[in-house]
Amino acid sequence: MSDLYKNIEFKEIYNNLKKLLVNSYAPYSKFHVAAAVETEDGKLFYGVNVENMSYPLTMCAERVAVFNAVTAGYKKFSRVYILSISSKPTPPCGACRQVIAEFPDNPDIIMFTGDGEYYEKKNISELLPLQFEF
Ligand code: THU
């Protein structure tokens, strides 16, 4: 895994995401994900993945977090944090990249290792260099 940083700065957010993993509804894939969106003024909004027995209706944790922030009136994001049950950092899926890229400030995506000791960081324009626009 490239560009792993020691996680000494985001421990509290990692701990919150770790607790939230139990709320993830993933009976089909068993792949539990939690995400947080940080607004430019430091507010945090959280989400977990919510699956459905009609599989395509599943919603990713990152989009739930973004939609929670937008619902509360926030649209400028400085960071998005992701934790899953995997030991490796989990990057956002393509659909979530497009949704995150919709909003300004080119947020950093912080992807924690499962034990929270390390994270990988990429900004959204690195993860989605040619976003759809019209
Ligand atoms: N999932 C997320 O929550 N975020 C992603 O970026 C990728 C995938 C969820 C959707 C599904 O519930 C499970 O992971 C397996 O695909």
Side-chain angles (χ1 to χ4, degrees):
M1 186 60 60
S2 61
D3 298 335
L4 278 183
Y5 302 91
K6 186 90 181 134
N7 179 19
I8 44 173
E9 40 186 339
F10 303 130
K11 269 287 175 196
E12 196 180 334
I13 295 168
Y14 167 82
N15 288 336
N16 291 340
L17 292 176
K18 182 83 181 167
K19 283 185 212 146
L20 269 184
L21 279 180
V22 300
N23 292 348
S24 150
Y25 179 71
Y28 307 106
S29 74
K30 317 266 192 245
F31 192 76
H32 300 273
V33 186
V37 165
E38 185 173 357
T39 65
E40 58 174 359
D41 57 351
K43 292 197 171 51
L44 288 161
F45 293 90
Y46 292 90
V48 295
N49 55 329
V50 182
E51 297 188 346
N52 191 276
M53 63 177 69
S54 176
Y55 294 170
L57 300 184
T58 291
M59 182 55 65
C60 294
E62 298 90 322
R63 275 178 285 164
V64 173
V66 169
F67 298 162
N68 270 335
V70 172
T71 301
Y74 296 90
K75 297 180 189 66
K76 287 186 179 170
F77 308 136
S78 53
R79 290 192 200 97
V80 176
Y81 303 86
I82 305 169
L83 175 68
S84 80
I85 53 159
S86 170
S87 58
K88 294 183 295 182
T90 299
C93 77
C96 288
R97 293 178 198 203
Q98 179 70 29
V99 168
I100 293 165
E102 177 76 15
F103 299 99
D105 289 358
N106 193 23
D108 281 333
I109 313 298
I110 308 293
M111 298 160 270
F112 292 114
T113 57
D115 63 6
E117 289 298 311
Y118 295 90
Y119 63 86
E120 188 176 11
K121 178 169 80 173
K122 302 272 183 207
N123 61 52
I124 190 64
S125 63
E126 286 177 273
L127 293 182
L128 188 69
L130 196 61
Q131 80 182 87
F132 170 73
E133 286 178 299
F134 66 90

